[in-house]
Every structure is written in C-alpha cells, then in structure tokens.
Amino acid sequence: MRIYKERLSNLLKEFLPSLPQNLYDALAWEGLKGTASWNSLTQAEKDSINHLINNYNNLGSEICN
C-alpha cells in the first residue's frame, strides 16, 4: 500500500506543484485511511498527518498560488 501513497503523492504534486512534499504525502495518506498501511503507522505518525491535513483545510487557498 505504501507504493500507492507514493503514487498519489506524486500525482498531487503534478497538479499542485507549489505545496511542500510533506503535505503531498499527508494528502495521499488521507485517501488511504483505514487501510492496512494506515493502520500500521504509529499514533504519532497518524497525528502528524492529521495535523497537516487539518492545517491545510483551515488555510484553504492561502497556501495555494
């Protein structure tokens, strides 16, 4: 499953090239929640991903050019 995360992350980067890499990775994980790969992450990793996604959602277009 982690290969899907990498593919999703790279695809997002093609469409939104101005975001930081860790945000692409977090957004890719958002689509993989509930999978075995997501469940294998530590709680700290999940919390970090959720924090990045929440910040992105709260900022909206402010971080997009």
Side-chain angles (χ1 to χ4, degrees):
M1 273 297 187
R2 288 186 189 247
I3 194 162
Y4 292 120
K5 193 271 305 173
E6 290 175 27
R7 289 182 180 171
L8 288 169
S9 179
N10 289 335
L11 184 62
L12 288 167
K13 192 177 206 174
E14 287 182 33
F15 288 101
L16 300 166
S18 63
L19 301 176
Q21 184 62 46
N22 64 344
L23 185 53
Y24 297 122
D25 294 339
L27 291 170
W29 275 118
E30 177 74 0
L32 296 170
K33 285 184 176 178
T35 65
S37 290
W38 171 262
N39 293 336
S40 73
L41 297 175
T42 66
Q43 189 59 48
E45 290 170 318
K46 292 176 187 176
D47 290 345
S48 177
I49 290 165
N50 288 327
H51 180 74
L52 284 168
I53 292 167
N54 288 337
N55 283 346
Y56 176 74
N57 288 335
N58 290 334
L59 291 175
S61 62
E62 290 182 27
I63 58 175
C64 296
N65 293 331

